[in-house]
Amino acid sequence: MELTDAETDYLQQLRWRSRRGLLELELLLLPFARDRLASLSAADRQSSEQLLACEDLDIYDWLQQRARPPNASLQQMVELIRAHQRASGTI
């Protein structure tokens, strides 16, 4: 799948936004961003962007299953990240 320059720039921005102030969260988000962002659907990319706009501690709690995201699109993105973690052996 060939990406346009605009898509490449957009993905690079999402990868950059995956860098967080909370190291534990960054260690969960960066591998997903590196490995999976390019293969996500446009809707999932938007959900990823929405997730990255949330507070670090909220995202971390969702990924640790201590709380549930407030909507289905965020929940789906959390599940995709957790599935990636399981596949890579990080959880």
Side-chain angles (χ1 to χ4, degrees):
M1 176 174 87
E2 192 68 31
L3 297 174
T4 66
D5 288 342
E7 288 173 321
T8 301
D9 290 344
Y10 176 69
L11 291 175
Q12 192 64 12
Q13 289 173 356
L14 287 179
R15 285 184 195 103
W16 180 256
R17 290 180 58 201
S18 294
R19 296 175 173 273
R20 309 304 283 208
L22 184 62
L23 177 61
E24 294 86 348
L25 181 57
E26 189 171 308
L27 294 173
L28 300 173
L29 293 176
L30 284 176
F32 178 81
R34 178 192 64 229
D35 299 341
R36 296 287 312 279
L37 276 180
S39 65
L40 294 179
S41 68
D44 284 341
R45 288 179 187 171
Q46 287 180 334
S47 294
S48 177
E49 186 173 356
Q50 184 183 8
L51 180 79
L52 294 172
C54 296
E55 296 291 327
D56 285 1
L57 291 177
D58 290 335
I59 300 169
Y60 189 70
D61 283 345
W62 300 335
L63 291 172
Q64 297 299 312
Q65 296 183 309
R66 293 184 196 137
R68 292 187 56 89
N71 64 54
S73 64
L74 288 177
Q75 180 63 40
Q76 180 180 348
M77 185 53 51
V78 165
E79 290 305 319
L80 286 173
I81 295 169
R82 288 187 50 76
H84 182 264
Q85 292 170 327
R86 283 189 298 274
S88 65
T90 56
I91 61 169

